[in-house]
Amino acid sequence: MTLPTAVSPSAQPSGPPPPGDEAWWKSAVVYQIYPRSFADSDGDGVGDLRGILGRLDHLHDLGVDVLWLSPVYPSPQDDNGYDVADYQDIEPVFGTLADFDELLAAVHARGMKLVMDLVVNHTSDEHPWFAASRGDGPGGPKRDWYVWRPARDGMEPGTPGAEPNNWGSAFSGPAWTWDEASGAYYLHLFSPKQPDLNWENPEVRQAVYAMMRWWLDRGVDGFRMDVINLISKEPGLPDGPVTGGAPYAGGLAACMGGPRLEEFLQEMHREVFADRPQRTLTVGEMPGVTVDQARRHTDPGRRQLDMVFQFEHMGLDQDGDKYTPKPLRLTDLKASLGRWQSGLDQVGWNSLYWCNHDQPRIVSRFGDATDEPSRVRSATMLATVLHLHHGTPYVYQGEELGMTNAPFTRIEDYRDVEARNHYAHAVAAGADPADVLAGLAAMSRDHARTPMQWTAGPNAGFTTGEPWIAVNPDHVRVNAEAAVADQTSVYHHYRRLIALRHDEPAVARGRFEMLLPDDERVYAFLRHDEAAGVELLVLGNFTGSAAEVPLPAGWAGAELLLGNVPDPAPAATTVTLAPWEARIHRRTVST
Ligand code: NOJ
């Protein structure tokens, strides 16, 4: 099946931006907190809200404007909270609603904002809505809140191939589970403990909107919306294409950008955001989203979302499937990010990220973490290139320290449901366990989830107890305490980049122009702030060797705003960049 790009006829056309839309987030930087792994205040080995409260000054000093909290709702934690059992409370392991209110007040008192994770493509199977739906049986009041279907004609329920269609789940195996008690299959694009809500049902949508208003009334400043482009399923739930001998079609691919997505997002905007007193931020996570779709979703006149997370650049070092890595070609990265920059110019808005809780650490991935100088140099180069693009940058906890991938070698080291299921399915299907572990070592989500490294001390200062996942042993040199004390650290480079976005308007608003698209070593671009008569030139050497690049005319002798090497060669007709060097030059031009 080709990915649906059709737009619902009922989706509203483009119009002027809503009144009072000041788009404050265009000059903001967002910091993502994965609460399980950030800071543990009570010694149970799991991070919590009071742990975050105790570390707010680290974030304030870094200069970030917005905190995004990965889910903190009550949950059986099958997928670390992305399986929500109650949308209007706090998971006891993280604290209480009173702790949350205190945290929110403390965030606001420091002039920052707080954005919640909204996980409404699916709930936990332990959510009371699902319990009612399961218990109701056909025709019952909540039956239709989830997606229930009978077995395929003539097939014995629960046997392979009897599933209602051929969709596979993102976490291995079929996207359907037979529920003996209610005599039907239910759909789960992720784990069997994450049943998909039926967004076709208006009662479901109204319940979600009421819950969102409840959090906004409590004072939160917006939402990051989990896999929000999967909520509208193709009518009839048709089979998808099976590729490369895979047992199932991609369930996610079959549901991306479904026929009523824009209509649902516009309805949500009307019902939840349109008349709010606070200026909110919305960002939709959208696997597989195209530039054209993203442009529509983020066109302010269409009143859907402020920005989306796209995944194209995160797939460039994967050979077909996620756990088969291949080397990144810099020209592919430039072509991809460059297309997103021009595609969302003027109308839409980009979110910019290298890292989140689902991605390996960027310095181990696109940089070089094998020795200390290369780690610091490549982490700061990657940050410079990303933060100088047009869009809103996201920093994932520990990225500002240059945290690296975990040295896990055994399946027992991993905690993630996706990684463990992948290993079990691949090995059962005959794969060599060593090969499967090599794929996990490159791409596992657990690399992002090892505890935040605060100090060189026991458990990196994350907990006084037994951490729920192993601490990276490199915390003895990579930690916040050491980084804050060292002006040449990755942390101080991030702090300077964030300050630059606040102080130099060209960073937030300048038009983007890619340079040297065919160069495999150096990432180079210009930002043009025509209104202010300012231009920025950004250079990043993506290799561990020196690289000579020609500069465009007029840049010889230009001011250096920020760089990551001591005594860089001055800008001239050509410049030789040191290994992993990054720099930002500035010049004024007549308007
Ligand atoms: C995307 C989230 O980022 C990921 O962590 C989660 O496993 C899936 N959605 C399912 O909620």
Side-chain angles (χ1 to χ4, degrees):
M1 190 177 109
T2 50
L3 301 184
T5 51
V7 173
S8 159
S10 57
Q12 292 169 5
S14 182
D21 177 357
E22 295 168 48
W24 56 270
W25 32 263
K26 289 190 173 175
S27 54
V29 176
V30 183
Y31 187 97
Q32 182 190 355
I33 295 177
Y34 197 65
R36 284 186 83 74
S37 304
F38 191 66
D40 174 21
S41 71
D42 59 6
D44 66 359
V46 179
D48 47 46
L49 295 179
R50 301 205 76 80
I52 300 170
L53 191 58
R55 295 290 185 178
L56 279 186
D57 286 338
H58 171 83
L59 305 173
H60 186 242
D61 293 349
L62 183 60
V64 295
D65 307 278
V66 183
L67 307 182
W68 148 28
L69 282 192
S70 276
V72 288
Y73 315 103
S75 159
Q77 304 287 319
D78 183 56
D79 187 17
N80 290 356
Y82 284 91
D83 47 322
V84 179
D86 178 353
Y87 287 113
Q88 292 176 221
D89 205 345
I90 298 294
E91 162 62 35
V93 84
F94 295 138
T96 62
L97 269 175
D99 293 332
F100 178 85
D101 289 339
E102 195 177 329
L103 175 64
L104 183 60
V107 168
H108 286 163
R110 286 168 177 76
M112 298 187 287
K113 296 183 189 286
L114 188 82
V115 162
M116 299 294 274
D117 217 310
L118 181 81
V119 190
V120 290
N121 173 69
H122 44 269
T123 67
S124 164
D125 66 338
E126 296 182 31
H127 195 293
W129 295 347
F130 188 70
S133 181
R134 185 182 238 167
D136 274 347
K142 280 214 166 51
R143 182 61 166 187
D144 193 39
W145 281 43
Y146 292 82
V147 185
W148 295 98
R149 292 288 184 279
R152 279 201 200 238
D153 277 352
M155 300 280 296
E156 176 64 22
T159 59
E163 294 88 12
N165 71 16
N166 70 354
W167 295 354
S169 112
F171 292 164
S172 306
W176 298 93
T177 288
W178 174 253
D179 184 51
E180 195 61 52
S182 58
Y185 281 96
Y186 64 88
L187 177 68
H188 53 84
L189 292 177
F190 295 89
S191 102
K193 289 189 65 64
Q194 293 167 295
D196 280 51
L197 282 164
N198 176 17
W199 274 70
E200 297 295 318
N201 184 331
E203 288 177 17
V204 168
R205 305 202 299 273
Q206 288 306 326
V208 167
Y209 304 152
M211 172 271 282
M212 293 171 75
R213 288 191 293 261
W214 185 86
W215 281 106
L216 290 174
D217 289 346
R218 216 170 183 96
V220 310
D221 301 288
F223 297 96
R224 173 270 185 187
M225 302 180 188
D226 191 67
V227 290
I228 201 69
N229 66 333
L230 305 184
I231 58 177
S232 164
K233 273 74 177 176
E234 190 81 13
L237 312 180
D239 280 342
V242 177
T243 50
Y248 300 101
L252 260 55
C255 298
M256 293 164 180
R260 299 184 69 188
L261 175 60
E262 291 203 47
E263 176 196 339
F264 293 160
L265 291 175
Q266 288 180 334
E267 180 184 76
M268 178 192 281
H269 188 277
R270 270 197 315 279
E271 297 272 337
V272 178
F273 298 106
D275 303 315
R276 298 307 302 187
Q278 70 258 63
R279 294 140 75 212
T280 52
L281 178 157
T282 58
V283 49
E285 187 203 27
M286 295 199 171
V289 69
T290 66
V291 174
D292 288 344
Q293 289 167 334
R295 187 179 171 92
R296 294 179 64 91
H297 293 312
T298 64
D299 173 349
R302 290 187 183 281
R303 300 173 195 207
Q304 296 180 25
L305 295 171
D306 296 329
M307 59 191 114
V308 305
F309 288 129
Q310 59 92 8
F311 285 71
E312 199 177 279
H313 64 303
M314 293 281 98
L316 297 176
D317 60 347
Q318 298 169 354
D319 205 358
D321 94 275
K322 159 171 180 176
Y323 291 111
T324 310
K326 66 174 186 186
L328 173 76
R329 280 164 47 110
L330 186 61
T331 47
D332 290 346
L333 184 67
K334 291 188 219 180
S336 172
L337 290 179
R339 239 168 4 86
W340 280 87
Q341 290 286 294
S342 51
L344 300 194
D345 189 32
Q346 306 297 325
V347 176
W349 189 252
N350 272 290
S351 60
L352 309 170
Y353 74 95
W354 292 136
C355 300
N356 60 42
H357 64 291
D358 294 331
Q359 301 292 338
R361 294 286 180 177
I362 200 63
V363 67
S364 302
R365 186 176 185 180
F366 292 175
D368 180 0
T370 54
D371 63 66
E372 197 54 13
S374 303
R375 182 187 71 82
V376 172
R377 197 69 81 62
S378 61
T380 48
M381 183 281 292
L382 287 160
T384 308
V385 168
L386 187 83
H387 281 239
L388 267 289
H389 276 72
H390 195 215
T392 298
Y394 287 70
V395 180
Y396 177 72
Q397 66 183 43
E399 180 184 342
E400 81 278 22
L401 309 177
M403 275 180 64
T404 66
N405 281 352
F408 292 161
T409 54
R410 305 167 314 141
I411 188 60
E412 294 76 22
D413 295 330
Y414 294 92
R415 297 286 175 272
D416 178 22
V417 58
E418 179 189 281
R420 294 172 82 111
N421 285 0
H422 168 70
Y423 181 86
H425 276 79
V427 171
D432 180 343
D435 292 343
V436 185
L437 286 171
L440 292 179
M443 288 297 168
S444 168
R445 310 196 296 180
D446 276 339
H447 292 308
R449 302 173 181 190
T450 62
M452 177 74 176
Q453 294 168 197
W454 295 106
T455 70
N459 291 323
F462 162 71
T463 181
T464 54
E466 183 66 27
W468 70 275
I469 186 171
V471 172
N472 192 321
D474 73 5
H475 71 274
V476 292
R477 53 193 165 81
V478 182
N479 63 73
E481 197 171 66
V484 168
D486 174 4
Q487 284 297 319
T488 68
S489 66
V490 180
Y491 166 85
H492 282 290
H493 194 84
Y494 269 86
R495 197 180 51 67
R496 291 183 192 111
L497 283 170
I498 294 164
L500 188 61
R501 174 165 292 262
H502 295 148
D503 296 344
E504 169 54 72
V507 176
R509 69 185 184 203
R511 181 171 55 80
F512 181 95
E513 182 190 353
M514 186 70 84
L515 303 174
L516 307 176
D518 301 323
D519 190 308
E520 284 295 353
R521 299 166 309 157
V522 176
Y523 203 121
F525 56 93
L526 294 170
R527 302 291 308 279
H528 304 269
D529 183 355
E530 273 108 7
V534 169
E535 286 186 353
L536 306 176
L537 169 66
V538 183
L539 302 173
N541 181 357
F542 266 67
T543 76
S545 319
E548 192 181 83
V549 278
L551 295 195
W555 282 92
E559 171 197 4
L560 181 70
L561 269 188
L562 184 58
N564 69 344
V565 301
D567 305 319
T573 347
T574 62
V575 162
T576 301
L577 297 174
W580 303 113
E581 179 175 350
R583 47 166 76 188
I584 309 166
H585 289 288
R586 179 182 191 274
R587 68 172 188 173
T588 51
V589 288
S590 46
T591 48

